[in-house]
Amino acid sequence: MRVLAIGLGGAGSRIIDQLYEHDCRSRVCCMRALAVDLDPNSLQQLRYLPGESRMFFPPIDPNFPFDVEHAIHIEEVMTRIQQIDTIQIDAILLCCGLGGTLVNAAPRMIRELRKSFVEPIFAVASIPARNEGKKRSAKAYADLVMLREI
């Protein structure tokens, strides 16, 4: 099974990075990967994903550094995905962290992916750690409800 894996945000990108490393180490080579983030440091900390598989979007308005709706250019992400060899993929795996910022881009991303691909789309969403606080946990619950609907 060949998979197109997309990581949104720090948590999603780290998950993709580890899956990519396992794919390369096992020599199966069934994975195409892309990491998308607003934080350049998170992308630089990835250890296995090649540079061309990392997409950084700087904040447009410095007063709202985590404005996902305006900062993430879905069209640009879709163009990068089209440049990847996706002819033989069997599924799309979207990874993100619940309670994070970029999980808010998941609905738009999934809608765009559905326009271009007939393959099934699966989501892997990590939950926040207990020490991240109640506010992040509450957002994680709302994010889970949002993802479940789509």
Side-chain angles (χ1 to χ4, degrees), residues 80-126:
R80 180 75 63 93
I81 290 170
Q82 296 298 334
Q83 293 170 352
I84 298 172
D85 180 21
T86 57
I87 299 293
Q88 297 178 354
I89 65 165
D90 299 307
I92 299 170
L93 179 66
L94 185 69
C95 295
C96 55
L98 296 175
T101 304
L102 284 184
V103 68
N104 296 338
R108 283 181 49 220
M109 179 75 67
I110 291 170
R111 280 193 298 275
E112 288 300 316
L113 288 167
R114 283 186 177 151
K115 289 178 187 176
S116 300
F117 296 95
V118 295
E119 290 78 14
I121 301 171
F122 300 96
V124 171
S126 64

Side-chain angles (χ1 to χ4, degrees), residues 17-18 20-21 42-50 54:
D17 193 48
Q18 290 299 310
Y20 186 81
E21 185 269 337
S42 285
L43 289 173
Q44 286 181 355
Q45 291 174 0
L46 299 177
R47 296 173 30 198
Y48 305 106
L49 233 73
R54 304 173 192 199

